[in-house]
Amino acid sequence: MTTKIIMDTDPGIDDAAAISVAINNPEIELELITTVAGNVTVDKTTKNALKLVKFFNADVPVASGAEQPLLKPFEDAARVHGESGMPGYDFGEEPAEVPANNAVEVLYQTIMANDDPITLVPTGSYTNIALLLKEHPDVKGKIKKIVAMGGSIGMGNMTSAAEFNVFTDPHAAEIVYQSEIPIVMVGLDVTMKALLTPETIATIKDLGKPGEMLGAIFTHYCDGDESGLPMHDVNTLAYILNPEMYRTEAYWVDVVTEGPAIGETVADIRGAYHDGKTNAEVCVDIDAAAFNKWFIAEVKKMRA
């Protein structure tokens, strides 16, 4: 049985790896890719999504979305992903035309047109998803769950407290976590353990054209260290396809929207503040060796 998903994303090197898995895995039906400003500006994230769809000869629509967060000034991560967001590989000609900024409406139409509820997979800031929920609250009943890369309960990578995706638009994240839609938080607690080892990356580079492409962009990924590269966004797909690789805990998660801890996701670990209620399944541990084996197997499935 396949899982229908929509990816809302800001490619980005690890986003590119996640999109590559979603396009090629036969257990995933990728209905739509929507883009958002995050790792780089939205015109660049949209072009990168289009490049990947063309590279894999995939029949997946792409819709461009929010150019900036709801309230907070935009701050990109080009220092990590390069100025283009996806450097290191020659994808050929730049996309001639970038889709109009209509991601929220395309999201709504796509979700409502499906007979079965869809899983949303945001791997960038949650601005498009928040706008969808605010402008079309009737869509909630057609969303099965949200498997979101972002947040953490123990560390930050943008500040000491905040993970990048949530930090980028904390007000959007707050809307998502208050939506009452089932949420799986795939945050730094696991993504900083899900490192592709140097041995895995060397193996991937020899796995045909897709492996060559991924290996090339990985060499420009300014994250991780000699022990490996964190594949933050890929973990959303890994969780959907192999949840047994992860250990999760149910918590109530609040989002800090102001002050020095802005963007922090605070889990009510003691169950002290919400009468024992929870709003998220939080990934807290992963089998990193299994993740490496799984990712190699996914790249072997890819065809370009």
Side-chain angles (χ1 to χ4, degrees), residues 17 67 90 95 113-114 117-118 122 138 159 172 255 276:
E67 298 177 359
D90 183 5
N114 266 274
I118 281 183
D138 58 315
T159 69
V255 180

Side-chain angles (χ1 to χ4, degrees), residues 126-145:
Y126 308 155
T127 314
N128 290 334
I129 307 301
L131 289 169
L132 171 70
L133 297 175
K134 295 296 284 185
E135 295 177 18
H136 300 287
D138 58 315
V139 80
K140 291 181 183 181
K142 295 297 293 285
I143 298 172
K144 182 178 180 180
K145 63 183 171 181

Side-chain angles (χ1 to χ4, degrees), residues 10 27 73 122 130 138 145 169 183 191 196 200 207 230 233 262 304:
D10 62 342
E27 296 177 39
D138 58 315
K145 63 183 171 181
D169 195 342
I183 298 172
T191 69
L196 292 188
T200 294
L207 297 179
D233 298 334
I262 189 170

Side-chain angles (χ1 to χ4, degrees), residues 152-153 252-256 264-268:
S152 81
I153 59 172
W252 186 281
V253 175
D254 288 306
V255 180
V256 179
E264 182 179 10
T265 45
V266 181
D268 183 12

Side-chain angles (χ1 to χ4, degrees), residues 177 180 249-253 268 271 274-281:
Y177 275 91
E180 300 183 346
E249 298 285 350
Y251 293 125
W252 186 281
V253 175
D268 183 12
H274 296 279
D275 297 323
K277 295 178 181 177
T278 63
N279 65 349
E281 198 71 25

Side-chain angles (χ1 to χ4, degrees), residues 65-89:
E67 298 177 359
Q68 58 188 15
L70 297 180
L71 297 173
K72 186 174 169 287
F74 175 56
E75 190 172 345
D76 69 21
R79 69 194 180 284
V80 175
H81 296 267
E83 285 302 314
S84 73
M86 217 164 64
Y89 185 81

Side-chain angles (χ1 to χ4, degrees), residues 153 185 189-190 193 246-249 251 282-286:
I153 59 172
M185 187 175 98
D189 307 283
V190 291
K193 297 175 183 176
Y246 296 82
R247 183 168 66 84
T248 66
E249 298 285 350
Y251 293 125
V282 179
C283 294
V284 296
D285 204 0
I286 181 176

